[in-house]
Amino acid sequence: MCVFLQGEQKPFKQVIDVSSGDPHKAGMKPVSFVRQVLSVCLYTQLLEDKSLPLDVKMRAQRLLDMCDGRSVGSYSATSGLPHIRQSVAEFISKRDAGVPSYSKEIFITSGSHRGITAVVKLMASGDGDTQTGVLAPMPCPHMLPNVLDEAGVKMVPYELTEERGWAVDVHKLHQALQAARGRCQLKAIYLSNPGNPTGHVQDRNSIEEVIRFAAAEKLILLVDEVYQDSVYGCDREFISYKKALFDMDKEFSQTVELISFHSLSNACMGECGLRAGYIEVVNMDPKVMHFLDNVLCGDISTPVTGQLALDLMINPPKPGDPSYDTYTQEILVIRATLSQNAERACQFLNDLPGMSCQPNGVHGRTPQRKPLLSKKNIAARLKFAKEHLDVPQHYKIFCGQMKPKLSCLEKTHKTMCGEKKGTAHQHQNLIPTVKHGGGSIMVWGCFAASGPERIVVIDGKVHSRVYQEILQENVRPSVRQLKLRRGWVMQQDNDRKQVIQQKNSFNRTKFTFWSGPVRVLTSTD
C-alpha cells in the first residue's frame, strides 16, 4: 500500500482512470458520422444546414421515419424499434457469412449489462442446493458477480488457463462442474469472446469444444461478444459462437441454446453513455422467448437515441458515400491508437517486478503474477517445512505455508484449487498473503526508541470503547517491558475515536496528537 503525500513530485502530470472501460472518458474522440446524424435527429432544423454531408441528412431522415411522430422523444417498444431489430438481424447474417438471423429473435437492451441481467433473472429459481448456477470464468468482467448476485443466481467459477493466454480449457470446465454437484443446479455457462478482461480470442476448435460441452451437460451458452470489433493482428480472427454452432452437425446447430450480447460500448465506437445493445436468442422455445420479452417490459426501454446510434454502428457509411472517407480514417486512427496503447501497456507491465503480460490480439491486457521467491526465501521456507513435518495429516506444507488439501476445502469454496504437476507455483494454487492481495488485516501496535512492543490484531470495527480497552490492556505493560522512565508521552494521530476525554486510569497520562501526513505501514515494514 502506498500513500500519495500532498506536494510530492511525480514523473507524470495526470492519472487517467480506465477501469470502467469508457474510451470517451479516457479522451477518445467520438466518430463524427454518428454524432452528426444524431444531432440532426435531435434538432431537425439541421436538415437545412448545407455544411453537413448529404448522406448524414438522408440517414437522419430515414431514422426519424422509424420513430413515432418522427421524433426521438417518442416511446418505443420495450424490445426495440422494429426497423432497428431488422437491421441487427441483417448485420449478424452478413457478419456470419449468410447464417440466417431473424428480427423476432433480436431484443434491443439498454446495454449488454441490462441484457445479461434480464436473461439470468429469467433463469433464477430455487434455494440452497436447488439454486440456479452459472459457470463463469476467472478472471471475469467486473460487473458479472454483482449481476448474478442481484438476480439470485450462484456463480460457479472456472479457471482460465493463464499459461495459454487465458484460454478456455474444457478440462477445467468439467472440474468446475463436478465441484458444483450438490451445491446448485447449473443451467448456463457464461463466456466472453473476445475475453474481458483477458483479451483472449477463441479459435474455432476452442469454440466447438465448448459447444459440445454445453450440449452434453444441457447448458445454455451466454456469450458476451461486445469486443468483436476490437481484434487486431494478422493471425487473429473473431469467429462468433453462432457461426461456429451453425457450421456443426444438426445435433448441435438445432439443439444448443445460445444467447449472445453486443453493445455500443465496444472499444471502437465507445458510446457508453448512449446505453444501447442487443441480444440474439438461438434455439430457444418460443414460450421462453415470450417470458424474456415480459422481463424486458418490466425494465426501462432502451433510449431511442441509443437505438439509432446502434443502427449507425452496424450500418456505417459505404464506399462512395460522402462521409465514407472521414469515417474510415477515424476508425483506423482509433484502432491504431488502441493497438499502440495495448502494446505500451504490455511493455510497461512486463517491466514491473513480479509481473508478466502477453499480447492476445485484443485492445486490452491482463497481467500475470510471477512468484517473487529469491534463493533466500526458498531456503527459509524449506527449513520451515522440514521443521513442521509432524503436523496433522490433513494438512500439507507448501513453501512454508500450511495449505489444506482439496478434500478439506468443501467448507471454504473460495480457496478451492486443483493443481496439476508443475503448476503448484501458479497464483491460483496459492493461498494469498496480505502482502500479495489476500485480503486485509487491522492491527494496533506501539513502539519506542528502545524497540517495538505489543501488537494487537483487531476483529471487526474500532470504536471508542474498543480503543479504550486496547489502551487499558497494552499500554502500561508495554511501557514496563520497554523500561521507559517516568514522564513518558504517548503519541497518536487525531482520529476521532482517539481524541476523547480519558475518564479511566489514563487520565494522568499525557497524550499528544498530530495532524500531518501519516505514513501507512505495509506488511514489509
Side-chain angles (χ1 to χ4, degrees), residues 172-245:
K172 292 187 177 182
L173 292 178
H174 282 288
Q175 286 182 336
L177 186 73
Q178 292 300 321
R181 300 287 189 195
R183 294 169 49 202
C184 63
Q185 296 292 325
L186 282 177
K187 293 185 180 180
I189 173 174
Y190 174 91
L191 302 117
S192 182
N193 182 47
N196 177 14
T198 64
H200 178 73
V201 183
Q202 285 185 266
D203 58 25
R204 183 177 293 274
N205 290 336
S206 174
I207 294 174
E208 290 180 353
E209 285 181 349
V210 174
I211 291 174
R212 292 189 180 93
F213 169 81
E217 302 299 335
K218 296 181 172 56
L219 299 176
I220 300 173
L221 290 168
L222 306 178
V223 187
D224 183 345
E225 297 177 331
V226 169
Y227 291 95
Q228 59 185 266
D229 299 327
S230 303
V231 179
Y232 74 99
C234 57
D235 59 337
R236 305 285 180 172
E237 178 188 11
F238 168 75
I239 301 173
S240 72
Y241 262 76
K242 183 180 180 183
K243 170 63 173 161
L245 175 63

Side-chain angles (χ1 to χ4, degrees), residues 421-433:
K421 186 177 180 180
T423 66
H425 67 283
Q426 295 179 3
H427 72 268
Q428 66 264 29
N429 296 329
L430 301 175
I431 296 179
T433 62

